[in-house]
Amino acid sequence: MAATAILLALAAVPPLCAALAQPYYLTLFARVMILGLAAMGLNLVLGFGGLVSFGHAMYIGVGAYAVGILDAHGVTGGLFHLAAALAAGAALACFVGTVCLLTRGIAFIMITLAFAQMVFFLAVGLKEYGGDDGLSISARSAFGPLHLDDPTILYYAIFAVLLLTLLAGHRLVHSRFGMVLRGAKLNERRMAALGFPVRRYQLTAYVISALVCVLSGFLLANLTRFVSPAYMQWQVSGELIVMAVLGGTATVLGPLVGAAILLLIEEALAAFAMGLPVGVEEFVRDHRLGALGLLIVLAAVGMRRGVYGALAPSAH
Amino acid sequence: MLRLEDLVKHYGGLAATDHLCLEIAAGELHAIIGPNGAGKSTLIGQLSGEIRPDQGRIVFDGRDITREPVHRRALAGLGRSYQISSVFTEFSALENVILAVQARSGHSFRFWRRANTETQLVQPAQAALAAVGLSDLAQRSVASLAHGERRQLEIAMTLASKPKLLLLDEPMAGMSQAESAELTQRLATLKGSLTIVLVEHDMDTVFALADRVTVLVAGRTIATGTGAEIRADPGVRQAYLGEQEESW
């Protein structure tokens, strides 16, 4: 129920923005979906696999840079962009995942962060592709008759990717593969004793989750027509974790809800009059990240299963 | 079925397993007893693959498994239950057993179909639950099961993985008397159909079930024989049973 309402609301954004003549909000909600997609991807390993990756922003970067670099060389074909992004992401994720999965717990968190930082500085060092300043993209990925230059078409393309990912995610967590992944989160030792080569399944989950983030980066580059190392700053990896935890890690949809809450509240604190007394209002606006942090703390304490987890108690 | 050759495991200066040799025949129920600190847990760990021995060989079903990882031993037919219930609390009882069935029914790189609607997983799982008398609780979340029920679920999972050799690590621990009597009976019905290695404190169970008993003291076997032989063995009496003779 809650899921249907959320998706219907997202589907209704373009006509509403058109009616209110507020194209800015179309972009805002497109961002919500793109970062929600990345958080959902991360949550496959975080929530269902129990592996806290603190480096998933690098896969957003891989997806975005694939578009930016190919575009810089005059390649505009969307399928090329997508194939290059997914291939590069898969190769990187196989390597990084194999190394990181030799560890668990805190060590896993630190080593995923270390790899993400390496890739971040690699991007900063790409002087021919803008280095620190990033790189503008001359044209959005071309998919034949599907013109992503039309903001509404781009919005619905992102929405379609989101829907497909949700459906696939929902099937996956209840499949044999999902059972093994969730079982390993609960009791890895017991899974091995039952005969499962646990690490192989965890690596596969890691690669799938990375590829969802690559997809998200691909869409982000197309939305902003810009890529920069900032996409894969460690803070972004942290925000993805916050989104997943805030929305609810035990659900497929939760991270999307978390992304919506985080981005929309941040926006609201910055842009809207809150009706607070003079002085207080400015204080909150100037320190809006602090206010946001306070809200996250309250949500984390009050709703252990996340906002969406609290709404949909039995949903996965 | 299972042969341990000159197995050694040191922890610092302490020999937890000290040149241990042991032969377990196919189809027998072999109990391993010993006082606390005799090295029973270390031995179980080496058998299941969680602990690497420093020296020696483990041969299972004609194959050297000394260096094999846990999951390969399990797939080769070495099933184990844990001293502390080790079930998946977020899953239903049925789903727990489904996982055990799934482990031996090919790879699990299947991403689409709901596992708990696959007949080839659900049917054997239900059969295993019925075998331990838990059919009525199949859909219950494991978090809501009583301790004894979890132990029975544990056994059902181990059975569902169709092992050739069953490694039972104190299966009666924390069970009520009625529950442990019931489990003893169930184990008695399993006897002969598969090889069982039973590590147990409860002497009534050991002597009621075991074909042969091995007594472990300080990482070494000091005696192996039938229950009667073990009771009569003066060395065992002195080293281990003497002080507790009253209790059994």
Side-chain angles (χ1 to χ4, degrees):
Chain A
M1 271 313 289
T4 317
I6 290 163
L7 294 176
L8 283 176
L10 281 175
V13 167
L16 280 177
C17 287
L20 300 170
Q22 291 280 12
Y24 170 73
Y25 289 108
L26 194 62
T27 311
L28 177 65
F29 277 94
R31 275 184 73 84
V32 165
M33 290 196 295
I34 287 172
L35 287 170
L37 185 68
M40 278 163 48
L42 168 67
N43 194 45
L44 181 65
V45 284
L46 180 79
F48 295 102
L51 300 162
V52 183
S53 165
F54 199 0
H56 262 50
M58 82 172 138
Y59 298 111
I60 296 182
V62 168
Y65 267 92
V67 178
I69 292 175
L70 284 178
D71 177 77
H73 291 283
V75 181
T76 55
L79 288 179
F80 286 114
H81 291 176
L82 202 54
L86 292 175
L92 181 65
C94 281
F95 172 70
V96 171
T98 305
V99 176
C100 293
L101 282 168
L102 297 174
T103 66
R104 290 289 182 277
I106 301 284
F108 185 84
I109 299 177
M110 295 326 282
I111 196 169
T112 48
L113 174 62
F115 272 114
Q117 287 301 90
M118 280 189 240
V119 175
F120 169 79
F121 285 111
L122 183 75
V124 170
L126 291 176
K127 297 288 178 239
E128 61 273 45
Y129 301 112
D132 219 355
D133 299 330
L135 173 68
S136 288
I137 294 168
S138 65
R140 292 195 166 114
S141 303
F143 284 96
L146 192 67
H147 291 291
L148 297 185
D149 277 327
D150 180 330
T152 309
I153 291 180
L154 179 61
Y155 183 93
Y156 280 116
I158 297 168
F159 184 64
V161 172
L162 183 76
L163 277 187
L164 288 175
T165 311
L166 267 174
L167 174 65
H170 190 74
R171 298 297 310 201
L172 185 140
V173 299
H174 291 104
S175 70
R176 286 189 182 207
F177 181 83
M179 292 286 287
V180 175
L181 187 63
R182 290 189 290 146
K185 174 196 172 189
L186 298 173
N187 194 338
E188 189 169 339
R189 195 173 154 216
R190 181 64 161 134
M191 289 300 283
L194 284 175
F196 292 106
V198 174
R199 207 172 285 164
R200 225 173 284 170
Y201 293 101
Q202 288 173 327
L203 178 61
T204 308
Y206 182 84
V207 174
I208 294 173
S209 113
L211 289 181
V212 175
C213 288
V214 168
L215 214 49
S216 152
F218 167 83
L219 295 171
L220 189 60
N222 270 294
L223 179 71
T224 58
R225 289 185 53 184
F226 178 71
V227 288
S228 93
Y231 289 3
M232 42 182 144
Q233 270 177 330
W234 65 268
Q235 289 94 329
V236 178
S237 295
E239 276 169 20
L240 293 180
I241 296 178
V242 170
M243 287 169 185
V245 172
L246 189 61
T249 52
T251 57
V252 176
L253 191 64
L256 174 67
V257 175
I261 293 172
L262 203 66
L263 293 176
L264 296 181
I265 289 185
E266 197 181 338
E267 183 66 29
L269 287 175
F272 287 110
M274 287 166 279
L276 296 172
V278 186
V280 178
E281 174 128 3
E282 262 123 51
F283 182 81
V284 171
R285 188 152 297 162
D286 289 343
H287 300 88
R288 60 176 181 272
L289 289 180
L292 195 58
L294 205 60
L295 285 172
I296 292 169
V297 169
L298 287 177
V301 171
M303 289 175 274
R304 293 274 166 84
R305 308 181 64 236
V307 175
Y308 182 69
L311 285 176
S314 63
H316 263 299
Chain B
M1 172 61 68
L2 181 69
R3 195 168 70 241
L4 308 183
E5 297 172 359
D6 197 33
L7 211 60
V8 178
K9 178 74 195 177
H10 281 279
Y11 288 114
L14 181 81
T17 308
D18 190 5
H19 299 281
L20 183 76
C21 295
L22 188 62
E23 175 110 38
I24 288 157
E28 79 170 328
L29 195 155
H30 197 116
I32 296 174
I33 61 173
N36 283 330
K40 300 189 298 286
S41 302
T42 309
L43 179 59
I44 288 266
Q46 290 173 92
L47 291 179
S48 66
E50 285 171 355
I51 300 173
R52 280 277 161 91
D54 298 332
Q55 192 184 314
R57 284 201 330 147
I58 304 170
V59 180
F60 173 63
D61 208 12
R63 170 171 152 199
D64 185 343
I65 58 163
T66 319
R67 306 264 156 234
E68 298 268 293
V70 177
H71 75 268
R72 288 236 188 84
R73 296 184 193 210
L75 292 179
L78 212 158
R80 79 166 281 189
S81 80
Y82 284 83
Q83 198 170 354
I84 299 156
S85 293
S86 179
V87 288
F88 302 97
T89 45
E90 276 180 26
F91 293 160
S92 72
L94 183 66
E95 283 170 326
N96 269 270
V97 191
I98 282 178
L99 265 179
V101 178
Q102 197 183 314
R104 62 166 171 86
S105 60
H107 66 78
S108 289
F109 290 103
R110 300 186 196 179
F111 301 93
W112 197 253
R113 197 161 161 207
R114 285 186 84 99
N116 62 7
T117 61
E118 283 189 56
T119 324
Q120 51 172 354
L121 295 180
V122 175
Q123 267 177 0
Q126 278 170 337
L129 280 177
V132 297
L134 283 181
S135 291
D136 294 342
L137 304 176
Q139 300 301 335
R140 282 264 297 277
S141 153
V142 169
S144 71
L145 295 187
H147 181 80
E149 291 164 343
R150 289 189 193 195
R151 306 278 343 190
Q152 277 163 315
L153 177 61
E154 175 90 43
I155 308 274
M157 289 169 72
T158 315
L159 288 178
S161 56
K162 291 253 171 356
K164 292 177 194 154
L165 184 143
L166 192 55
L167 217 52
L168 295 173
D169 191 4
E170 301 202 9
M172 312 292 175
M175 277 194 175
S176 74
Q177 218 155 30
E179 282 166 342
S180 97
E182 201 184 321
L183 185 57
T184 306
Q185 209 147 43
R186 285 191 199 287
L187 290 179
T189 62
L190 283 176
K191 257 181 74 168
S193 60
L194 75 170
T195 315
I196 300 176
V197 175
L198 173 70
V199 175
E200 183 54 63
H201 268 307
D202 186 88
M203 292 301 160
D204 293 335
T205 313
V206 168
F207 288 114
L209 287 173
D211 299 308
R212 287 199 299 158
V213 179
T214 289
V215 184
L216 209 60
V217 174
R220 247 189 263 221
T221 57
I222 62 160
T224 293
T226 63
E229 284 165 7
I230 292 299
R231 279 188 218 242
D233 190 300
V236 175
R237 289 183 160 260
Q238 197 192 350
Y240 170 42
L241 300 174
E243 66 244 52
Q244 329 180 342
E245 201 172 354
E246 308 290 289
S247 64
W248 56 287

